[in-house]
């Protein structure tokens, strides 16, 4: 997914172009999100794990 996000920085307003990729892992129990920003060298990586029903109780 591609997005252009308006942000406020010390020099005024700017726009950041981001590319996001979503991947389901481990039998749909984990989600990996990889974000590339046009102004960063390295991607941001987020790893989310689904909470099981037993832990919710």
């Amino acid at each position: 997914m591609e997005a252009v996000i308006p942000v406020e920085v010390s020099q005024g307003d700017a726009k950041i172009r981001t590319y996001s990729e979503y991947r389901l892992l481990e039998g749909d129990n984990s989600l990996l999100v990889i974000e590339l920003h046009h102004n960063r060298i390295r991607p941001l990586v987020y790893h989310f794990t689904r909470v099981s029903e037993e832990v919710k109780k």
Side-chain angles (χ1 to χ4, degrees):
M1 179 170 64
E2 180 180 346
V4 177
I5 304 167
V7 295
E8 187 175 325
V9 295
S10 61
Q11 292 86 9
D13 295 332
K15 292 183 181 178
I16 297 177
R17 182 179 304 275
T18 63
Y19 300 94
S20 301
E21 181 177 329
Y22 300 86
R23 296 180 186 176
L24 287 174
L25 306 173
E26 302 173 18
D28 298 343
N29 288 326
S30 295
L31 175 66
L32 186 68
V33 179
I34 303 168
E35 273 189 5
L36 298 171
H37 293 210
H38 81 277
N39 59 346
R40 289 181 175 257
I41 296 172
R42 299 177 62 193
L44 297 172
V45 179
Y46 303 97
H47 185 228
F48 301 95
T49 304
R50 182 181 296 193
V51 177
S52 67
E53 290 297 324
E54 292 139 7
V55 175
K56 289 181 185 178
K57 295 179 182 180

XYZ file of all heavy atoms in Angstrom:
470
model
N 0.838 -1.151 0.000
C 0.000 0.000 0.000
C 0.899 1.234 0.000
O 1.917 1.269 0.674
C -0.894 -0.024 1.245
C -1.791 1.161 1.341
S -3.060 1.066 2.603
C -2.111 1.012 4.090
N 0.515 2.222 -0.756
C 1.270 3.474 -0.837
C 0.408 4.592 -0.260
O -0.795 4.641 -0.491
C 1.612 3.788 -2.285
C 2.391 5.060 -2.463
C 2.712 5.344 -3.917
O 2.563 4.456 -4.767
O 3.105 6.473 -4.204
N 1.042 5.493 0.510
C 0.310 6.615 1.100
C 1.210 7.837 1.157
O 2.428 7.723 1.278
C -0.164 6.261 2.499
N 0.585 9.007 1.069
C 1.280 10.276 1.267
C 0.657 10.895 2.510
O -0.544 11.175 2.545
C 1.136 11.204 0.050
C 1.802 12.537 0.330
C 1.738 10.559 -1.190
N 1.482 11.071 3.554
C 0.994 11.504 4.861
C 1.470 12.925 5.135
O 2.676 13.189 5.132
C 1.508 10.556 5.956
C 1.090 9.125 5.644
C 1.011 10.995 7.321
C 1.789 8.085 6.471
N 0.540 13.855 5.395
C 0.964 15.208 5.765
C 1.424 15.229 7.225
O 0.769 14.649 8.095
C -0.297 16.045 5.567
C -1.424 15.087 5.668
C -0.903 13.746 5.240
N 2.560 15.858 7.480
C 3.102 15.967 8.832
C 3.555 17.400 9.077
O 3.812 18.158 8.145
C 4.289 15.001 9.071
C 3.851 13.564 8.990
C 5.404 15.269 8.103
N 3.654 17.742 10.350
C 4.154 19.054 10.733
C 5.571 18.882 11.275
O 5.803 18.085 12.171
C 3.258 19.664 11.802
C 3.606 21.095 12.137
C 2.622 21.704 13.119
O 1.437 21.369 13.035
O 3.071 22.489 13.965
N 6.520 19.596 10.699
C 7.916 19.544 11.123
C 8.350 20.937 11.554
O 7.610 21.908 11.390
C 8.828 19.001 9.991
C 8.492 17.552 9.670
C 8.714 19.843 8.748
N 9.549 21.048 12.092
C 10.004 22.340 12.608
C 10.089 23.415 11.521
O 9.960 24.594 11.810
C 11.357 22.181 13.306
O 12.325 21.705 12.405
N 10.278 23.027 10.272
C 10.352 23.993 9.171
C 8.986 24.307 8.574
O 8.880 25.094 7.646
C 11.271 23.475 8.059
C 12.726 23.392 8.424
C 13.072 22.079 9.121
O 12.265 21.166 9.180
N 14.261 22.005 9.674
N 7.924 23.672 9.063
C 6.583 23.900 8.519
C 5.899 22.579 8.216
O 6.163 21.559 8.849
N 5.022 22.567 7.239
C 4.311 21.354 6.842
C 5.091 20.628 5.748
O 5.736 21.242 4.909
C 2.914 21.693 6.333
C 2.035 22.269 7.426
O 2.261 21.935 8.604
O 1.118 23.042 7.099
N 4.998 19.293 5.779
C 5.679 18.467 4.784
C 4.804 17.247 4.496
O 3.835 16.983 5.214
C 7.049 18.042 5.280
N 5.150 16.524 3.458
C 4.466 15.277 3.124
C 5.487 14.160 3.079
O 6.582 14.325 2.540
C 3.749 15.392 1.783
C 2.593 16.355 1.828
C 1.864 16.404 0.516
C 0.725 17.403 0.616
N 0.008 17.517 -0.642
N 5.131 13.016 3.666
C 6.009 11.843 3.676
C 5.342 10.758 2.845
O 4.184 10.415 3.068
C 6.249 11.336 5.111
C 6.977 12.388 5.931
C 7.023 10.028 5.090
C 7.181 12.002 7.374
N 6.072 10.217 1.889
C 5.570 9.109 1.076
C 5.994 7.803 1.748
O 7.154 7.608 2.055
C 6.136 9.173 -0.337
C 5.616 8.081 -1.254
C 6.179 8.209 -2.647
N 5.912 9.515 -3.228
C 4.787 9.845 -3.859
N 3.831 8.957 -3.985
N 4.630 11.041 -4.364
N 5.023 6.919 2.014
C 5.322 5.643 2.651
C 4.798 4.499 1.788
O 3.803 4.633 1.081
C 4.684 5.533 4.043
O 3.274 5.575 3.915
C 5.158 6.623 4.970
N 5.489 3.397 1.854
C 5.070 2.148 1.228
C 4.970 1.116 2.337
O 5.914 0.935 3.112
C 6.093 1.684 0.186
C 6.293 2.675 -0.927
C 7.305 3.620 -0.865
C 5.468 2.667 -2.040
C 7.493 4.545 -1.879
C 5.643 3.587 -3.065
C 6.657 4.521 -2.972
O 6.837 5.431 -3.971
N 3.822 0.453 2.457
C 3.609 -0.536 3.509
C 3.311 -1.887 2.892
O 2.578 -1.996 1.906
C 2.439 -0.127 4.406
O 2.687 1.120 4.990
N 3.863 -2.920 3.514
C 3.598 -4.293 3.092
C 3.127 -5.062 4.317
O 3.707 -4.946 5.396
C 4.877 -4.919 2.541
C 4.683 -6.332 2.060
C 5.953 -6.902 1.451
O 6.752 -6.131 0.870
O 6.146 -8.113 1.578
N 2.063 -5.837 4.156
C 1.479 -6.605 5.249
C 1.633 -8.091 4.922
O 1.255 -8.525 3.837
C -0.004 -6.263 5.413
C -0.229 -4.806 5.722
C -0.323 -3.858 4.714
C -0.328 -4.387 7.035
C -0.517 -2.512 5.000
C -0.531 -3.044 7.341
C -0.620 -2.118 6.317
O -0.803 -0.797 6.608
N 2.142 -8.863 5.897
C 2.337 -10.305 5.689
C 1.761 -11.068 6.873
O 2.066 -10.767 8.031
C 3.820 -10.652 5.589
C 4.521 -10.056 4.416
C 5.972 -10.461 4.410
N 6.704 -9.771 3.363
C 7.999 -9.886 3.187
N 8.717 -10.639 3.991
N 8.588 -9.230 2.213
N 0.937 -12.080 6.587
C 0.454 -12.975 7.633
C 1.470 -14.089 7.821
O 1.955 -14.675 6.854
C -0.901 -13.570 7.251
C -2.079 -12.611 7.321
C -3.328 -13.281 6.773
C -2.306 -12.150 8.746
N 1.781 -14.391 9.077
C 2.774 -15.408 9.397
C 2.178 -16.446 10.336
O 1.194 -16.188 11.021
C 3.989 -14.767 10.083
C 4.672 -13.603 9.374
C 5.730 -13.008 10.296
C 5.311 -14.091 8.092
N 2.800 -17.598 10.403
C 2.505 -18.632 11.400
C 1.019 -18.981 11.475
O 0.393 -18.894 12.526
C 3.012 -18.205 12.778
C 4.501 -17.929 12.799
C 4.958 -17.340 14.124
O 4.222 -17.459 15.114
O 6.047 -16.758 14.143
N 0.450 -19.349 10.357
C -0.940 -19.777 10.348
C -1.910 -18.682 10.729
O -2.854 -18.913 11.473
N -1.694 -17.483 10.263
C -2.553 -16.322 10.511
C -2.565 -15.867 11.963
O -3.466 -15.175 12.395
C -3.988 -16.581 10.046
C -4.076 -16.833 8.557
O -3.113 -16.490 7.845
O -5.094 -17.357 8.110
N -1.577 -16.254 12.758
C -1.504 -15.814 14.159
C -0.607 -14.602 14.340
O -0.608 -13.996 15.405
C -1.021 -16.946 15.063
C -2.089 -18.006 15.237
O -3.264 -17.693 15.257
N -1.667 -19.247 15.357
N 0.174 -14.260 13.337
C 1.081 -13.117 13.427
C 0.976 -12.269 12.170
O 0.752 -12.778 11.077
C 2.527 -13.581 13.585
O 2.709 -14.245 14.806
N 1.136 -10.968 12.370
C 1.118 -10.025 11.262
C 2.430 -9.266 11.269
O 2.845 -8.735 12.306
C -0.050 -9.041 11.411
C -0.135 -7.907 10.399
C -0.425 -8.466 9.004
C -1.183 -6.902 10.806
N 3.092 -9.220 10.134
C 4.332 -8.474 9.963
C 4.033 -7.288 9.051
O 3.476 -7.454 7.970
C 5.413 -9.363 9.331
C 6.803 -8.770 9.223
C 7.405 -8.592 10.601
C 7.685 -9.641 8.365
N 4.348 -6.085 9.524
C 4.139 -4.866 8.744
C 5.503 -4.246 8.480
O 6.272 -4.007 9.412
C 3.237 -3.856 9.497
C 3.056 -2.605 8.662
C 1.902 -4.482 9.837
N 5.810 -4.013 7.218
C 7.074 -3.400 6.812
C 6.745 -2.067 6.168
O 5.964 -2.006 5.218
C 7.832 -4.299 5.822
C 8.064 -5.667 6.431
C 9.143 -3.643 5.399
C 8.533 -6.718 5.456
N 7.316 -0.977 6.716
C 7.067 0.367 6.202
C 8.358 0.971 5.675
O 9.361 0.991 6.372
C 6.552 1.289 7.309
C 5.090 1.267 7.508
C 4.628 2.363 8.454
O 5.439 3.204 8.889
O 3.439 2.377 8.758
N 8.303 1.446 4.452
C 9.428 2.169 3.869
C 9.029 3.635 3.749
O 7.974 3.950 3.208
C 9.760 1.614 2.480
C 10.189 0.170 2.409
C 10.261 -0.281 0.956
C 11.525 -0.017 3.075
N 9.849 4.518 4.284
C 9.623 5.960 4.164
C 10.630 6.513 3.170
O 11.790 6.096 3.169
C 9.820 6.658 5.508
C 8.790 6.287 6.530
N 8.392 7.142 7.500
C 8.073 5.156 6.723
C 7.487 6.566 8.264
N 7.283 5.363 7.809
N 10.222 7.449 2.346
C 11.120 7.974 1.321
C 12.302 8.718 1.927
O 13.331 8.877 1.282
C 10.356 8.889 0.352
C 10.134 10.279 0.845
N 9.096 10.601 1.675
C 10.827 11.423 0.634
C 9.163 11.896 1.960
N 10.188 12.417 1.341
N 12.207 9.136 3.184
C 13.288 9.897 3.811
C 14.090 9.077 4.827
O 14.857 9.632 5.590
C 12.716 11.152 4.487
C 11.674 10.817 5.536
O 11.191 9.691 5.593
N 11.321 11.794 6.334
N 13.917 7.754 4.849
C 14.675 6.888 5.758
C 15.444 5.839 4.955
O 14.963 5.373 3.929
C 13.744 6.133 6.715
C 13.107 6.982 7.761
C 12.231 6.100 8.641
N 11.690 6.865 9.727
C 12.143 6.811 10.967
N 13.123 6.000 11.273
N 11.601 7.552 11.900
N 16.588 5.455 5.473
C 17.388 4.434 4.798
C 16.866 3.031 5.115
O 16.759 2.185 4.241
C 18.868 4.557 5.216
C 19.425 5.896 4.754
C 19.686 3.407 4.659
C 20.804 6.201 5.279
N 16.516 2.806 6.393
C 16.086 1.473 6.834
C 14.571 1.442 7.029
O 13.973 2.417 7.458
C 16.779 1.134 8.148
C 18.307 1.099 7.978
C 19.010 0.829 9.266
N 18.629 -0.470 9.765
C 18.883 -0.877 10.991
N 19.488 -0.099 11.839
N 18.518 -2.076 11.380
N 13.949 0.292 6.757
C 12.495 0.184 6.940
C 12.125 0.078 8.419
O 12.940 -0.331 9.256
C 12.141 -1.100 6.198
C 13.382 -1.918 6.275
C 14.523 -0.935 6.212
N 10.895 0.440 8.730
C 10.333 0.202 10.057
C 9.600 -1.131 9.980
O 8.821 -1.375 9.051
C 9.353 1.308 10.431
C 9.939 2.708 10.539
C 8.822 3.727 10.730
C 10.918 2.794 11.684
N 9.857 -2.011 10.951
C 9.254 -3.343 10.939
C 8.474 -3.530 12.235
O 9.010 -3.322 13.328
C 10.331 -4.444 10.802
C 9.690 -5.821 10.812
C 11.142 -4.231 9.535
N 7.200 -3.890 12.100
C 6.337 -4.141 13.251
C 5.877 -5.597 13.205
O 5.512 -6.098 12.139
C 5.093 -3.237 13.210
C 5.409 -1.769 13.148
C 5.426 -1.092 11.928
C 5.687 -1.051 14.297
C 5.696 0.263 11.865
C 5.965 0.313 14.250
C 5.972 0.957 13.030
O 6.250 2.292 12.974
N 5.869 -6.257 14.358
C 5.431 -7.645 14.440
C 4.316 -7.724 15.479
O 4.538 -7.443 16.651
C 6.605 -8.556 14.827
C 6.262 -10.001 14.813
N 6.576 -10.840 15.837
C 5.628 -10.754 13.892
C 6.156 -12.056 15.560
N 5.574 -12.020 14.378
N 3.108 -8.101 15.042
C 1.955 -8.221 15.919
C 1.587 -9.687 16.053
O 1.585 -10.422 15.073
C 0.748 -7.465 15.342
C 1.004 -6.004 15.139
C 1.419 -5.522 13.908
C 0.828 -5.116 16.180
C 1.647 -4.167 13.717
C 1.050 -3.758 16.007
C 1.466 -3.288 14.773
N 1.247 -10.110 17.284
C 0.839 -11.485 17.541
C -0.573 -11.496 18.103
O -0.884 -10.739 19.026
C 1.803 -12.158 18.550
O 3.128 -12.070 18.039
C 1.446 -13.611 18.760
N -1.405 -12.354 17.557
C -2.795 -12.462 18.008
C -2.818 -13.069 19.412
O -2.134 -14.045 19.697
C -3.587 -13.346 17.062
C -5.050 -13.476 17.445
C -5.781 -14.371 16.512
N -5.770 -13.739 15.195
C -6.516 -14.117 14.192
N -7.327 -15.145 14.327
N -6.443 -13.502 13.041
N -3.630 -12.498 20.280
C -3.792 -13.017 21.636
C -4.789 -14.167 21.578
O -5.878 -14.025 21.006
C -4.305 -11.912 22.587
C -4.539 -12.450 23.969
C -3.321 -10.763 22.619
N -4.431 -15.296 22.171
C -5.316 -16.461 22.141
C -6.527 -16.250 23.049
O -6.522 -15.420 23.940
C -4.557 -17.728 22.561
O -4.209 -17.628 23.927
N -7.580 -17.027 22.827
C -8.801 -16.907 23.614
C -8.543 -17.204 25.089
O -9.161 -16.605 25.961
C -9.871 -17.877 23.060
C -10.412 -17.472 21.713
C -11.141 -16.145 21.754
O -11.816 -15.857 22.768
O -11.036 -15.380 20.776
N -7.631 -18.141 25.397
C -7.351 -18.492 26.794
C -6.703 -17.325 27.547
O -6.963 -17.111 28.716
C -6.438 -19.724 26.849
C -7.123 -20.969 26.357
C -6.202 -21.807 25.497
O -5.022 -21.491 25.390
O -6.704 -22.789 24.923
N -5.890 -16.541 26.872
C -5.220 -15.412 27.515
C -6.208 -14.272 27.736
O -6.108 -13.540 28.719
C -4.026 -14.932 26.644
C -3.387 -13.697 27.227
C -2.999 -16.045 26.507
N -7.197 -14.120 26.865
C -8.188 -13.051 26.974
C -9.041 -13.198 28.230
O -9.506 -12.227 28.780
C -9.097 -13.020 25.762
C -8.442 -12.543 24.506
C -9.449 -12.527 23.378
C -8.825 -12.178 22.070
N -9.800 -12.217 20.972
N -9.266 -14.438 28.700
C -10.165 -14.683 29.838
C -9.532 -14.363 31.150
O -8.570 -14.205 31.551
C -10.620 -16.130 29.847
C -11.477 -16.446 28.639
C -11.897 -17.872 28.649
C -12.715 -18.168 27.409
N -13.150 -19.515 27.345
